Amino acid sequence: MTPTESLFITLTVNGEAVSREVAARLSLADFLREELRLTGTHLGCEHGVCGACTVLMDNEPVRACLMLAVQARGRSVTTVEGLTPPAGGLTPLQAAFQRRHAVQCGFCTPGMLMSATALLAGNPDPTAEHVRDALSSNICRCTGYVQIVEAVMEAAAEART
Amino acid sequence: MKAPPFAYAAPVTIEGALALLAAHEDAKVLAGGQSLMPALNLRLAAPSVLVDINDIPELSEVSVTPAGLRLGALVRHSRIGSDPLIAGAVPLLGLAYPHIAHGAIRTRGTIGGSLAHADPSAEWPAVCLVCDAVMELRGPGGGREVPADAFSLGVFTTAIGAGELLVAIRFPAWPASRRAGFSEVARRKGDFAMVGAAVTVDLGAHGVCTAARIVLFGASDRPIRRHAAEARLCGRVPDAALLREVASVATEGLDPSSDLHASAEYRRRVAPVMVRRALAYALSLPEAARAA
């Protein structure tokens, strides 16, 4: 096997098959943003600390800045754009973020939504502590987290009724 | 920043990975990528070749036998937390798990990657040292085994030699009478510890301690056993007063460093508290934290 500086990859992004020749060094985050123009995935720190680039890979949260695009070959990636229901509009979680005003500058919001989506998929009835624990991986520098936690709790409660 | 250019290969066998490591002297092994990718993005590392081991199925195997637990090097943190077989076999893994990173990091990060990276504040190297784990290495000359106490050699430095790959970690069988405790302080839950302690205590008849292991991490350039403190526990029935004494002995002569996260003074001050809390948890004793 000879190492190569670029590879042809095929993966699924937001339900659609995508094929591209990409540089080995290209991060999954830059692939999504630059190649696919899915700029909802934000890049903050680019070393895995801030969580703004969190996406789902095979339904599990990952840092898109800490994966190479070539490592996502054959996988299914969901970005914040992929949360949109088939009929359009917002998911219950997104609607709860809007109602609770769980955004301020909005930069961290895509990552927050992806981490919270992953949390609720695995635990539909989280306590506030569960939510805080799950979102401790995502840094917000303006809202102070209170409304974000409230929004996730509200979306969870709504889904159970 | 962005990673510097490199060539990439994803072998599907251990032999394939070893051949690549042999052919490319400055190649780096890419496991979960949760430490290497930041290093690449920050341009702290610039290997000419990345050998991605994620496609080698053998490295993700988990087995429990009467001899103990064997974890493939590529077993991810999330699996250690979610597979009851693993924490059932080595309860200290289950106790340490909640302190390991955050959800999105656990999805990708691996135990082998954490061990090979050898951050002095990381939890898994400390757990391996407490448990007498053995690292299975494979290299151009075949396989060899390195006990945990000879594996960590310093900050980001291990016994893994040129061209070698960490393939698995073996934990000896856990005696029924063994109890475990784990305690750390970190800036955020899931961050690396500023300082922490991992312990096991074996109790015999009448609650007498027959064996103890106390390891501090984040307090030196690698996780460290505290033999004198362990000896102080053995042959006695632990109570709150003894734990204070043992915690004090465990941190005698400690010379931690100062960094961005905590000062040396803070680490020295908190280390005995971590030892006491971990022991108190292991022995179901009141924490006695105020009496220091």
Side-chain angles (χ1 to χ4, degrees), chain B:
Chain B
M1 280 170 65
K2 316 295 179 189
F6 51 77
Y8 169 94
V12 295
T13 62
I14 291 173
E15 291 70 26
L18 294 176
L20 284 159
L21 292 175
H24 305 278
E25 204 173 301
D26 77 331
K28 279 265 182 202
V29 174
L30 177 61
Q34 304 302 290
S35 301
L36 180 55
M37 285 294 297
L40 290 169
N41 289 352
L42 294 165
R43 302 280 173 118
L44 297 172
S48 64
V49 173
L50 274 196
V51 180
D52 182 350
I53 58 171
N54 285 275
D55 289 349
I56 306 176
E58 196 182 332
L59 295 178
S60 295
E61 286 173 1
V62 172
S63 65
V64 179
T65 64
L69 169 71
R70 184 178 184 273
L71 295 179
L74 204 64
V75 170
R76 300 188 196 273
H77 307 319
S78 57
R79 185 159 168 206
I80 294 175
S82 62
D83 185 343
L85 198 67
I86 294 175
V90 179
L92 190 52
L93 288 168
L95 286 182
Y97 174 74
H99 300 277
I100 306 284
H102 306 279
I105 307 290
R106 292 171 179 169
T107 305
R108 296 292 299 167
T110 67
I111 185 165
S114 168
L115 289 163
H117 182 59
D119 188 305
S121 295
E123 292 84 1
W124 292 144
V127 169
C128 288
L129 183 57
V130 176
C131 294
D132 260 341
V134 173
M135 315 298 161
E136 294 182 15
L137 305 182
R138 289 274 297 278
R144 67 183 179 112
E145 299 185 345
V146 180
D149 63 0
F151 183 76
S152 295
L153 300 180
V155 180
F156 304 142
T157 311
T158 70
I160 301 174
E164 281 188 320
L165 183 68
L166 173 62
V167 296
I169 302 100
R170 285 205 320 269
F171 296 84
W174 186 275
S177 63
R178 180 162 295 168
R179 293 145 176 255
F182 188 95
S183 185
E184 72 168 49
V185 277
R187 288 267 174 205
R188 282 192 301 175
K189 192 170 179 220
D191 283 0
F192 279 125
M194 292 186 276
V195 64
V199 305
T200 60
V201 182
D202 294 3
L203 292 182
H206 311 298
V208 173
C209 169
T210 56
R213 285 168 166 274
I214 300 172
V215 165
L216 281 167
F217 58 101
S220 181
D221 65 347
R222 71 195 83 173
I224 43 172
R225 280 274 302 272
R226 307 310 277 167
H227 296 279
E230 294 169 2
R232 196 66 71 98
L233 259 180
C234 289
R236 297 170 74 178
V237 178
D239 60 11
L242 180 58
L243 297 199
R244 281 197 298 278
E245 184 187 326
V246 169
S248 164
V249 174
T251 49
E252 264 169 25
L254 208 61
D255 185 23
S257 57
S258 290
D259 61 24
L260 204 59
H261 306 291
S263 66
E265 188 190 352
Y266 179 80
R267 289 190 161 101
R268 259 195 302 275
R269 181 83 179 253
V270 173
V273 182
M274 295 300 104
V275 173
R276 201 169 56 225
R277 284 184 188 168
L279 288 170
Y281 181 91
L283 295 161
S284 310
L285 285 170
E287 186 193 274
R290 300 283 172 270

Side-chain angles (χ1 to χ4, degrees), chain A residues 1 3-5 7 24-25 30 46-47 49 57 60-63 65-66 68 70-71 73 133 136-137 139, chain B residues 1-4 6-8 10-11 20 24 30 34 37-38 41 43 52 54-55 102 104 107-108 188-189:
Chain A
M1 179 177 294
T4 54
E5 292 202 3
L7 279 87
R25 65 182 280 224
D30 283 334
E46 296 193 300
H47 61 279
V49 175
M57 190 173 73
E60 289 186 298
V62 297
R63 297 283 201 245
C65 74
L66 296 189
L68 301 172
V70 295
Q71 291 186 293
R73 63 193 186 281
D133 187 32
S136 67
S137 66
I139 292 176
Chain B
M1 280 170 65
K2 316 295 179 189
F6 51 77
Y8 169 94
L20 284 159
H24 305 278
L30 177 61
Q34 304 302 290
M37 285 294 297
N41 289 352
R43 302 280 173 118
D52 182 350
N54 285 275
D55 289 349
H102 306 279
T107 305
R108 296 292 299 167
R188 282 192 301 175
K189 192 170 179 220

